Structures are given as C-alpha cells and as structure tokens.
Amino acid sequence: MWVFLPYVWPAEARTWVPDRSTRWQLDTTLDAAGRVLDVECRPLSREEKETQEQDAAADLALAGVPPRPRGRLWLLRPVGGLENLAAVLEHLCAAAEARGVDTGLSVAFTELCAGELAALAGS
C-alpha cells in the first residue's frame, strides 16, 4: 500500500541505494486438512520480478504516481520530529481518518500524504 511514499517523501529526508537484494518466493503445499506437506524457498525469476514491477506500476498509476525507478531501495528518514517511520505512518493514517479520506491506495490519499509530509518537513 505504501509503494508511493518515496515519490511524496520530502527530498531532503530520502535517499536510495542500488538494489542488489535477492527476492525470495516461498511455496507451501498443504493437504486437504491444512497440514504442511512441503515447503520450497527459491529466488524469484527475472519474469516474476518483472511481474511484481508491473503490478507496482499499476498500483502507482491508480494513485496518480508515475512508475518507480528500477533497481533502487529507498531509505526514508522520519520528518517533523516524529521518532520513526511507524510514527509517521500513524500520523498519516490519523490525518486521513480526520479528513474522511480512505487510506487505500488512491489519488486522494497520495495527495493527503504529500501535503502532510511537506507540512511535517517544514515544522
């Protein structure tokens, strides 16, 4: 849901590093009673990673945000004197609730977050 955050995060409080991580797929096979029969963990294929990027780009488009740059891990520093990222996210959700904005991925929520983050960064 928060895939749009680097786009709206204040530039002075964000940076990125090249993404050299391995993404993993965990496949679990269950029997009819729900018991685990087998578990397989494997790195995602190039095609699976591409599908994830396409899904993320589609989600971002719904929120009015362009596709994210590829090959980056974003590092976000808390703004507005808030202690950590969880506190920032709580603030954004509370602001959305107070204004009657659904916290699902949407243009309205993205715009609210951009405004709140800018205000926090200016304080």
Side-chain angles (χ1 to χ4, degrees), residues 8-26:
V8 298
W9 206 268
E12 65 277 4
R14 71 173 186 232
T15 192
W16 62 273
V17 296
D19 184 358
R20 294 188 178 94
S21 62
T22 301
R23 293 200 171 50
W24 295 87
Q25 173 74 31
L26 183 65

Side-chain angles (χ1 to χ4, degrees), residues 35-36 54-55 58:
R35 290 183 297 260
V36 176
Q54 290 172 352
D55 290 347

Side-chain angles (χ1 to χ4, degrees), residues 6-16 74-80 114 117-123:
Y7 181 75
V8 298
W9 206 268
E12 65 277 4
R14 71 173 186 232
T15 192
W16 62 273
W74 286 95
L75 307 174
L76 308 175
R77 188 174 58 245
V79 293
L117 289 166
L120 286 170
S123 60

Side-chain angles (χ1 to χ4, degrees), residues 68-85:
R68 61 188 179 185
R70 303 251 177 149
R72 295 180 180 187
L73 290 177
W74 286 95
L75 307 174
L76 308 175
R77 188 174 58 245
V79 293
L82 295 171
E83 195 170 301
N84 53 41
L85 184 59

Side-chain angles (χ1 to χ4, degrees), residues 1-4 52-67 105-107 110:
M1 169 179 133
W2 299 102
V3 70
F4 68 92
Q52 285 184 346
E53 281 301 316
Q54 290 172 352
D55 290 347
D59 289 343
L60 288 169
L62 292 174
V65 176
L105 192 58
S106 67
V107 172
T110 301

